[in-house]
Amino acid sequence: MTTVYLKPHKEESLKRFHPWVFSGAIARVVLDATHKAAAPEEGELVCVRSAADEVLGVGHWQIGSIAVRILAFGVETLPADYWLQRIRAAYKVRETLGLVQPDNNTFRLIHGEGDFVPGLIVDIYADTAVVQAHSIGIHMSRNEIADAIIAEVPQVQNVYYKSDDTLPFKAPVEGNRVGWLTETTGVESQDFWSKENGLSFRIDWLRGQKTGFFIDQRENRALVERYAADKDVLNMFCYTGGFSLYALRGGARSVDSVDVSQKAIDLVNINVAKNFPKATNHTAVTADAFEYLASQKAQNRTYDLIILDPPAFAKHRDAVKNALRGYQRINAKAIEMIRPGGILFTFSCSQAVDKEAFRLAVFSATAQVGRKVRILHQLHQPQDHPINIYHPEGEYLKGLVLYIE
Ligand code: SAH
């Protein structure tokens, strides 16, 4: 196996279980005898050692500023049953969290670094797992990962691979970036249902965003249900209607679901019809958020409860300033439309915007509108999206629930 030697003192963060080796920390690379090229291959397993020749761990080599992502600390090679061990451990945690229930078969099984497997996401929808690789090393292990999921997760029979948007764009990739990893026939995501807290959702992983659903809002959706009774609710950036279904079950007087994507709105309507076939108090609108809020304001429309769950406004550090302005603007527009005694659920899923910066943007919005506002809840990503304490970069979802006088 190829060995990566670090510069003196660069082993400190690895000894504290941070899973990344930056290229600047590397002193030299000693290739194993099989190599023809002058450098390790992207996705190759390498052993990382300190300047004093201490074994630090094994990981995937990657071209870029993060050169190695560690899969196992303190060992020279991966154990033969590595994937079985990791999947088994992750599933056990989800069982402990109470997420594996007859009325809930939707959960995240592997959350990258948060489950000690950098570069891998696995979401479970009923009998199907959707696997997403963020590195070539994970891509090369995709079949072993699928076998381990089938072996360890009793509810799963089919494994779909969806890495067209997540693998490094230019990397040469052997095999398909999308498709079934199991010999699966007859599974049509067209009419596929998964359950979250007793509500049924059509999951379309083929055409949908991410792996098909935003599992990370499960707990926050349940909180909306608690506040929804007799309220006029606006679910802005609704995607397939997650928050809307919980609001309807919570007894909302009316729910308006808005998203710019027609495909998303079609799914909202399908989901509402499945769970609440008799509902007459739900309206789904295909519209841009800013245009919708402006047009409703022009008609003096107001709401008791608004949910704002926009896509990541900042995908990179250099976009943070503009993102904060965007958060301030959209929050100010929403707060203006909330009736006295109403509630705002507002979120940011931009990893690059930390919770203090987000809170400051929302503060600026409330000050701009001049309403008296209190924070009722500070929300975050749920337990099946764990944050490795040694890898705080894994924290991304944050939200505030505001009471607006
Ligand atoms: N709250 C959702 C997830 C939201 S994801 C849930 O619980 O499942 C963000 C959504 O914002 C996507 O569906 C995307 O189509 C939508 N979106 C992106 N830009 C938008 C815009 N300018 N106006 C309205 N919706 C937008």
Side-chain angles (χ1 to χ4, degrees):
M1 189 186 285
T2 292
T3 305
V4 171
Y5 287 94
L6 302 186
K7 293 176 183 166
H9 310 300
K10 291 296 183 188
E11 71 281 5
E12 300 290 324
S13 68
L14 265 81
K15 283 194 165 170
R16 288 197 305 265
F17 305 109
H18 190 286
W20 297 347
V21 177
F22 289 96
S23 55
I26 295 175
R28 66 199 159 94
V29 176
V30 180
L31 296 172
D32 74 12
T34 63
H35 281 82
K36 292 191 193 82
E41 281 172 32
E42 174 121 36
E44 179 180 338
L45 277 179
V46 298
C47 176
V48 181
R49 289 173 178 265
S50 68
D53 208 24
E54 208 179 342
V55 172
L56 299 169
V58 182
H60 284 139
W61 178 264
Q62 209 177 300
I63 297 162
S65 78
I66 303 171
V68 184
R69 293 169 132 192
I70 299 288
L71 297 168
F73 289 95
V75 290
E76 271 177 276
T77 53
L78 282 190
D81 62 348
Y82 174 79
W83 292 109
L84 284 168
Q85 277 184 33
R86 278 289 193 266
I87 301 285
R88 188 179 307 148
Y91 183 66
K92 208 169 163 198
V93 172
R94 275 60 184 175
E95 278 188 314
T96 305
L97 296 174
L99 294 174
V100 187
Q101 303 287 346
D103 70 346
N104 190 84
N105 54 21
T106 307
F107 56 91
R108 176 157 290 190
L109 176 66
I110 298 275
H111 183 62
E113 281 81 353
D115 282 290
F116 310 115
V117 191
L120 176 64
I121 297 293
V122 181
D123 284 340
I124 307 292
Y125 302 117
D127 64 359
T128 298
V130 182
V131 171
Q132 203 171 56
H134 290 252
S135 72
I136 300 300
I138 296 291
H139 175 75
M140 287 161 54
S141 308
R142 65 195 180 286
N143 290 313
E144 282 171 80
I145 293 168
D147 290 346
I149 295 169
I150 294 289
E152 295 295 333
V153 185
Q155 76 185 59
V156 173
Q157 265 135 51
N158 316 298
V159 182
Y160 189 73
Y161 187 55
K162 189 179 181 195
S163 302
D164 43 348
D165 290 336
T166 55
L167 282 173
F169 185 60
K170 285 190 193 134
V173 167
E174 274 177 41
N176 294 331
R177 289 170 186 242
V178 286
W180 292 105
L181 296 176
T182 39
E183 285 180 26
T184 299
T185 51
V187 181
E188 248 314 321
S189 78
Q190 285 289 347
D191 193 32
F192 178 90
W193 296 94
S194 193
K195 275 205 161 173
E196 183 183 270
N197 289 329
L199 292 164
S200 295
F201 286 92
R202 159 98 40 105
I203 313 285
D204 185 349
W205 53 78
L206 297 179
R207 286 160 291 263
Q209 300 185 33
K210 310 263 173 166
T211 65
F213 193 56
F214 291 85
I215 300 174
D216 57 1
Q217 288 286 25
R218 180 188 56 246
E219 310 292 327
N220 303 329
R221 291 194 271 255
L223 190 63
V224 162
E225 180 172 0
R226 266 171 52 192
Y227 282 105
D230 303 322
K231 301 238 175 19
D232 289 320
V233 176
L234 169 62
N235 180 11
M236 179 55 77
F237 307 100
C238 65
Y239 190 47
T240 60
F243 284 102
S244 305
L245 293 195
Y246 282 77
L248 287 168
R249 192 167 66 180
R253 188 185 311 132
S254 72
V255 178
D256 292 346
S257 303
V258 181
D259 200 284
V260 77
S261 152
Q262 181 62 47
K263 272 189 298 187
I265 292 299
D266 291 344
L267 284 167
V268 176
N269 284 323
I270 289 169
N271 287 333
V272 171
K274 170 89 171 177
N275 291 276
F276 306 98
K278 295 199 189 103
T280 53
N281 57 342
H282 178 259
T283 311
V285 182
T286 310
D288 167 75
F290 286 98
E291 285 173 18
Y292 181 85
L293 292 175
S295 74
Q296 296 303 299
K297 198 187 167 208
Q299 299 166 44
N300 294 320
R301 179 90 167 92
T302 56
Y303 289 96
D304 302 300
L305 196 165
I306 297 182
I307 300 132
L308 287 182
D309 184 23
F313 280 173
K315 297 230 161 71
H316 303 284
R317 296 241 150 250
D318 42 8
V320 166
K321 231 175 158 181
N322 277 338
L324 290 173
R325 265 188 233 119
Y327 287 122
Q328 180 178 342
R329 208 154 73 89
I330 191 91
N331 278 279
K333 298 266 177 241
I335 291 165
E336 279 179 347
M337 290 178 58
I338 292 186
R339 292 175 195 146
I343 288 174
L344 175 68
F345 277 69
T346 183
F347 297 96
S348 162
C349 60
S350 302
Q351 191 269 340
V353 173
D354 66 25
K355 54 175 181 281
E356 283 74 28
F358 177 61
R359 184 161 156 173
L360 192 60
V362 176
F363 163 84
S364 304
T366 60
Q368 183 187 331
V369 180
R371 301 279 293 270
K372 221 164 140 195
V373 170
R374 277 174 280 180
I375 298 173
L376 301 181
H377 301 267
Q378 308 196 46
L379 305 178
H380 36 78
Q381 64 211 63
Q383 309 87 315
D384 52 344
H385 294 57
I387 302 160
N388 178 342
I389 200 163
Y390 305 109
H391 180 260
E393 298 93 327
E395 186 170 0
Y396 70 101
L397 181 64
K398 55 254 151 214
L400 292 170
V401 183
L402 305 180
Y403 185 84
I404 298 172
E405 310 255 329

